[in-house]
DNA sequence: GTATGTACCTGTTTGC
DNA sequence: TGCAAACAGGTACATA
């Protein structure tokens, strides 16, 4: 489950190891990860071969390799995606979906897109080297120097949606997933269903600050997790050895007040929160998840 | 434009 | 032991 800090680690690793290399061959082993490319698997491959990687950029959880012809290879890791830089003789991964052979600096390598559940994907963005049109609607993320804090606060405070829904809305703020949303809300003592328009400026600014703290801590840890041989996002490790206060802690005592952390169904997934520190707004029925306990 | 619900996908875990 | 259902959740898309 890569979130923004993991994607940034991938971006930085790709930048270090692939800029200057040329895409020599492309092999699509499963059509689904290239489903968003209107050219189809063969056209996808043809649009990449022979082009040089000039930069690696990111917005939210999307990243792209900017090519010398002005196009871009746009990628998203989805739920379970990995982008691995491997020697060509390394055995294929079980869920290898797309293979890109690279020629040139620093050495010949394979860039492998591995994705078990295939929520992620790759596509060629025509003219997308600076910013792919496909993701122009994605807001900047809070690690972006050009992130507009005041605009974020205004957007939240004019909305009648719940605050967690707003945090997960990529047109409002990008890069925040379910885990970090729960963690930031716990730190800010805000319930997921507090209405944006009923929060004070100060509350929204504080929440934004906590989002940055959570991401910053993860980035500091993730930044040391890959070595020179491969660029790796591991969907298993990383999260759970990180200090989480809310996510996944159902029934365990709140680190602040000791009350048992609760889990409720929310948007087809789970929300974890402290029922004492994060009081629900009036009129919110507390739906239990479908499973017993 | 805004708000909300759902399909997509598969390995693992849980329940009967 | 074996099968079925639940579960994980980011995004695009449909609908109101």
């Amino acid at each position: 489950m890569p979130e923004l800090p993991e994607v940034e680690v991938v971006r930085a690793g790709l930048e270090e190891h692939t800029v200057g290399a040329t895409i020599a061959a492309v092999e699509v082993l499963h059509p689904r990860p290239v489903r968003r490319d209107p050219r189809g698997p063969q056209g996808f491959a043809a649009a990449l071969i022979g082009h040089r990687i000039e930069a690696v950029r990111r917005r939210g959880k999307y990243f792209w390799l900017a090519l010398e012809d002005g196009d871009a290879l746009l990628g998203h890791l989805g739920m379970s995606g990995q982008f691995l830089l491997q020697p060509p003789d390394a055995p294929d991964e079980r869920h290898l979906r797309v293979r890109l052979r690279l020629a040139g600096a620093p050495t010949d390598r394979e860039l492998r897109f591995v994705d078990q559940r295939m929520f992620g994907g790759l596509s060629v963005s025509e003219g997308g080297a600076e910013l792919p049109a496909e993701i122009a609607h994605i807001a900047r993320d809070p690690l972006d120097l050009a992130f507009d804090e005041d605009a974020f606060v205004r957007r939240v405070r004019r909305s009648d949606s719940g605050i967690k829904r707003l945090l997960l809305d990529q047109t409002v703020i990008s890069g925040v997933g379910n885990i970090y949303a729960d963690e930031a809300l716990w730190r800010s003592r805000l319930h997921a269903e507090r209405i944006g328009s009923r929060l004070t400026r100060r509350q929204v600014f504080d929440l934004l600050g906590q989002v940055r703290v959570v991401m910053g801590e993860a980035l500091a840890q993730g930044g040391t997790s890959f070595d020179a041989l491969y660029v790796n996002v591991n969907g298993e490790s990383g999260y759970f050895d990180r200090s989480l206060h809310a996510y996944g802690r159902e029934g365990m005592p709140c680190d602040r007040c000791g009350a048992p952390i609760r889990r409720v169904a929310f948007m087809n997934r789970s929300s974890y929160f402290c029922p004492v520190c994060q009081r629900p707004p009036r009129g919110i029925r507390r739906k239990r998840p479908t499973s017993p306990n």
Side-chain angles (χ1 to χ4, degrees):
Chain A
M1 292 178 274
E3 298 218 29
L4 186 146
E6 287 81 357
V7 179
E8 172 55 23
V9 169
V10 169
R11 188 209 64 78
L14 290 173
E15 181 173 64
E16 184 176 347
H17 298 293
T18 71
V19 167
T22 296
I23 300 170
V26 177
E27 186 182 358
V28 178
L29 293 99
H30 195 296
R32 180 164 171 81
V34 298
R35 65 194 177 283
R36 304 215 185 286
D37 197 308
R39 301 164 191 78
Q42 291 185 336
F44 166 83
L48 292 171
I49 292 170
H51 294 294
R52 193 179 66 249
I53 299 165
E54 294 209 316
V56 187
R57 303 195 168 100
R58 181 184 61 75
R59 174 166 290 195
K61 297 177 194 172
Y62 284 94
F63 58 90
W64 63 96
L65 310 183
L67 305 176
E68 101 291 336
D69 66 346
D71 290 350
L73 171 58
L74 178 62
H76 195 290
L77 299 174
M79 290 288 299
S80 52
Q82 294 172 280
F83 228 173
L84 308 173
L85 196 56
Q86 297 278 47
D89 58 356
D92 285 1
E93 291 73 14
R94 183 174 175 193
H95 300 293
L96 177 61
R97 308 302 188 189
V98 179
R99 186 200 319 272
L100 304 163
R101 287 216 170 79
L102 302 182
T107 55
D108 290 357
R109 293 276 175 76
E110 279 188 8
L111 195 51
R112 299 181 180 181
F113 184 70
V114 178
D115 190 4
Q116 176 206 110
R117 281 143 84 177
M118 295 188 288
F119 273 43
L122 302 175
S123 62
V124 176
S125 173
E126 215 168 296
E130 289 303 316
L131 176 66
E134 294 86 341
I135 59 165
H137 64 289
I138 301 287
R140 292 183 187 274
D141 62 69
L143 300 181
D144 189 326
L145 292 175
F147 181 84
D148 188 335
E149 296 189 356
D150 290 314
F152 169 75
V153 173
R154 283 196 303 273
R155 175 70 180 82
V156 168
R157 296 191 69 229
R158 70 163 191 265
S159 171
D160 292 328
S161 288
I163 185 62
K164 182 169 178 181
R165 187 177 274 279
L166 289 163
L167 281 179
L168 296 176
D169 185 338
Q170 301 294 298
T171 68
V172 175
I173 184 172
S174 70
V176 182
N178 196 44
I179 296 171
Y180 292 176
D182 279 0
E183 291 301 305
L185 289 168
W186 181 88
R187 286 167 178 265
S188 295
R189 303 178 187 233
L190 291 175
H191 188 278
E193 304 204 55
R194 294 284 294 273
I195 301 302
S197 61
R198 296 186 192 168
L199 297 176
T200 64
R201 269 175 60 82
R202 185 171 181 165
Q203 284 176 311
V204 181
F205 268 113
D206 176 67
L207 176 61
L208 177 58
Q210 298 300 345
V211 168
R212 286 191 161 127
V213 168
V214 172
M215 284 185 175
E217 287 180 359
L219 189 60
Q221 295 185 28
T224 60
S225 70
F226 73 87
D227 62 31
L229 288 179
Y230 66 98
V231 178
N232 187 11
V233 165
N234 188 321
E236 303 304 321
S237 70
Y239 280 124
F240 298 105
D241 49 18
R242 229 172 264 154
S243 53
L244 298 176
H245 294 287
Y247 183 84
R249 300 191 68 239
E250 183 181 21
M252 298 168 71
C254 169
D255 290 335
R256 204 161 34 209
C257 75
I261 295 292
R262 289 194 50 191
R263 177 169 76 104
V264 296
F266 176 83
M267 288 172 76
N268 287 329
R269 57 210 64 191
S270 292
S271 269
Y272 296 88
F273 68 102
C274 171
V276 173
C277 297
Q278 299 167 268
R279 304 308 289 266
R282 283 183 199 173
I284 295 298
R285 274 179 298 172
R286 300 170 197 178
K287 283 179 289 186
R288 291 187 171 277
T290 49
S291 61
N293 300 338

